[in-house]
Amino acid sequence: MSPRARQHTAGHRRNALWMAAMVHRLSGLALACFLPLHFLALGLAIDGEARLDGFLKWTANPLVKLAETGLVFLLAVHMLGGIRVLLIENMPWRDGQKNIAFAALALACVAAFAFLLRAV
Amino acid sequence: MADMIEVLLWRGKEDGRYQTFQVPQRENQTVLDVVSWVQRNADPTLSYRFACRVGVCGSCAMTVNGRPRWTCRTHTSRVVENGRLKIGPLANLPVIKDLAADLQPFFEKWQQAKGVFAPSKTRADPVETISPASAPRIAADAAIECINCAVCFAACDTVRWNEDYLGPAALNRAWTLVNDVRDAGNRERLAAVAADGGCHACHSHQSCQEHCPNKLNPTASIAGLKRRTMQAYIRGEL
Ligand code: SF4
Ligand code: SF4
Ligand code: FES
């Protein structure tokens, strides 16, 4: 076993702010994976109206709407998490980061929910 | 209170294993007391490190039920889970033997971060008066009580994932010196902490602050260094 990964030493991750960092990182990765799809859709618009219309019709599918809600959540949580870290690193220190991280999560949920309500 | 604690202690080096002991549980008993009990009553070959037993020297830190802690001031009543204590050497450091981790890499990083005072005066100069109420002194005082226990170093995943990272304690120390108006080494210090593996590698996830037994906040110190190095860069000093 390498000294850098001994099994018994992961307890420090049971911590809200560690989870916040992970959520930030994973949401960023997920968004990066989505990007090619986004460009594909934009590409369709260049390709011609008919194909784009077909695509847009497809996005009216409820399952796609649900996926889009997830996307809105990812975007919001990634952006708010990023702002939180920027504030830590560029402004004088503020205590209560756990609360701020939870507030960011709650806000992202609200944004995603609002999107879903408008979509249905 | 259960009478006995099932204590699993790491034995050997990196490729060691846990060995189980039954240790009587007592009131006001610390994790270090448990380890000492084993060494005195069950296996005198057990290796571990401590000195002051009162939270001053910083030599007794170990991994306790998965988290790094100072063992001399951690009561078993707070950390025993289901009658069990799993104690290992600190993470992110080589193991010397059993519960003793090798702190050399940790202290080498203090040196790399220029965590050493660089005097600006000679003994012939008068002693400088520093107001405890001045902003730099307040910033330095907030970070100064580090006991070099390496608990933060063991709790930091950036340390784990990036071999070059200087780590929370070394950067926290550099921050106290950056705020020490008597120090003359800041140009080199800022260059050292702005380099690869320096303050800009920190992800601000505050595991260091969460675990520091002295309630220091290395994340805040590192954020201070990020701003200070950025200002120095803009001024063309880096
Ligand atoms: S805030 Fe920085 S130094 Fe502290 S645990 Fe996270 S990466 Fe390590
Ligand atoms: S900053 Fe805290 S946890 Fe880190 S070495 Fe110093 S006292 Fe220990
Ligand atoms: S033995 Fe000195 S800090 Fe624990």
Side-chain angles (χ1 to χ4, degrees):
Chain A
M1 235 184 292
S2 111
R4 302 205 146 252
R6 276 193 303 275
Q7 276 300 307
H8 59 274
T9 61
H12 61 277
R13 295 183 187 150
R14 276 178 305 195
N15 171 7
L17 290 173
W18 192 89
M19 295 306 285
M22 250 329 117
V23 167
H24 190 228
R25 187 169 282 198
L26 294 178
S27 60
L29 274 174
L31 286 171
C33 293
F34 161 73
L35 256 187
L37 228 91
H38 182 61
F39 287 133
L40 193 78
L42 289 182
L44 287 180
I46 299 170
D47 237 24
E49 229 166 278
R51 289 196 64 190
L52 181 69
D53 276 348
F55 177 76
L56 288 180
K57 236 175 241 135
W58 175 73
T59 60
N61 183 321
L63 267 181
V64 178
K65 280 281 173 259
L66 210 64
E68 280 178 346
T69 306
L71 209 60
V72 171
F73 171 76
L74 288 178
L75 258 173
V77 88
H78 191 73
M79 185 185 76
L80 293 170
I83 292 175
R84 185 181 75 84
V85 175
L86 278 174
L87 289 179
I88 289 183
E89 296 183 352
N90 295 292
M91 306 295 280
W93 183 261
R94 258 195 117 85
D95 280 335
Q97 286 300 326
K98 272 185 199 167
N99 293 340
I100 300 176
F102 276 122
L105 181 69
L107 248 150
C109 289
V110 169
F113 192 63
F115 174 85
L116 191 67
L117 284 187
R118 279 189 41 157
V120 290
Chain B
M1 189 184 282
D3 296 334
M4 287 288 182
I5 316 174
E6 186 188 5
V7 179
L8 286 85
L9 298 181
W10 186 260
R11 304 307 303 270
K13 296 192 173 219
E14 309 295 351
D15 53 355
R17 60 185 178 84
Y18 284 100
Q19 188 182 353
T20 307
F21 298 90
Q22 299 295 329
V23 179
Q25 183 153 27
R26 304 249 157 82
E27 265 183 63
N28 298 323
Q29 175 188 37
T30 64
V31 174
L32 184 63
D33 291 336
V34 165
V35 173
S36 297
W37 189 94
V38 172
Q39 201 254 356
R40 286 183 195 160
N41 299 287
D43 186 347
T45 67
L46 178 69
S47 303
Y48 62 110
R49 184 167 46 219
F50 73 97
C52 72
R53 294 182 296 123
V54 288
V56 174
C57 71
S59 59
C60 66
M62 298 169 203
T63 309
V64 182
N65 279 354
R67 285 173 185 259
R69 295 183 184 276
W70 54 358
T71 54
C72 70
R73 297 202 51 188
T74 302
H75 281 246
T76 52
S77 55
R78 268 186 44 219
V79 289
V80 168
E81 281 170 27
N82 304 323
R84 232 163 150 237
L85 262 187
K86 198 172 188 182
I87 309 172
L90 272 186
N92 300 349
L93 292 161
V95 185
I96 301 173
K97 178 176 172 279
D98 301 344
L99 305 174
D102 182 359
L103 287 171
Q104 192 164 339
F106 174 73
F107 288 115
E108 277 168 0
K109 290 186 168 174
W110 277 63
Q111 302 285 336
Q112 279 172 35
K114 305 267 183 250
V116 181
F117 180 67
S120 56
K121 299 215 156 65
T122 68
R123 62 180 62 218
D125 294 310
V127 174
E128 193 164 341
T129 320
I130 293 169
S131 162
S134 66
R137 198 57 233 169
I138 290 173
D141 282 345
I144 202 87
E145 297 283 346
C146 174
I147 57 169
N148 309 2
C149 64
V151 162
C152 55
F153 194 82
C156 174
D157 272 323
T158 306
V159 167
R160 189 165 302 185
W161 293 331
N162 176 354
E163 290 223 357
D164 298 328
Y165 183 45
L166 294 173
L171 291 168
N172 179 73
R173 169 65 180 157
W175 175 242
T176 63
L177 291 170
V178 163
N179 285 288
D180 190 330
V181 293
R182 302 163 305 164
D183 187 281
N186 274 326
R187 197 171 265 256
E188 296 79 27
R189 187 170 297 115
L190 287 180
V193 301
D196 264 2
C199 62
H200 297 284
C202 163
H203 290 288
S204 300
H205 37 41
Q206 283 174 260
S207 300
C208 48
Q209 179 197 16
E210 183 85 10
H211 289 80
C212 173
N214 266 358
K215 305 259 177 295
L216 301 188
N217 185 354
T219 317
S221 300
I222 296 169
L225 287 176
K226 286 178 180 172
R227 295 195 291 273
R228 203 59 71 84
T229 49
M230 185 60 87
Q231 288 157 7
Y233 178 75
I234 291 169
R235 282 200 295 265
E237 293 166 7
L238 268 185

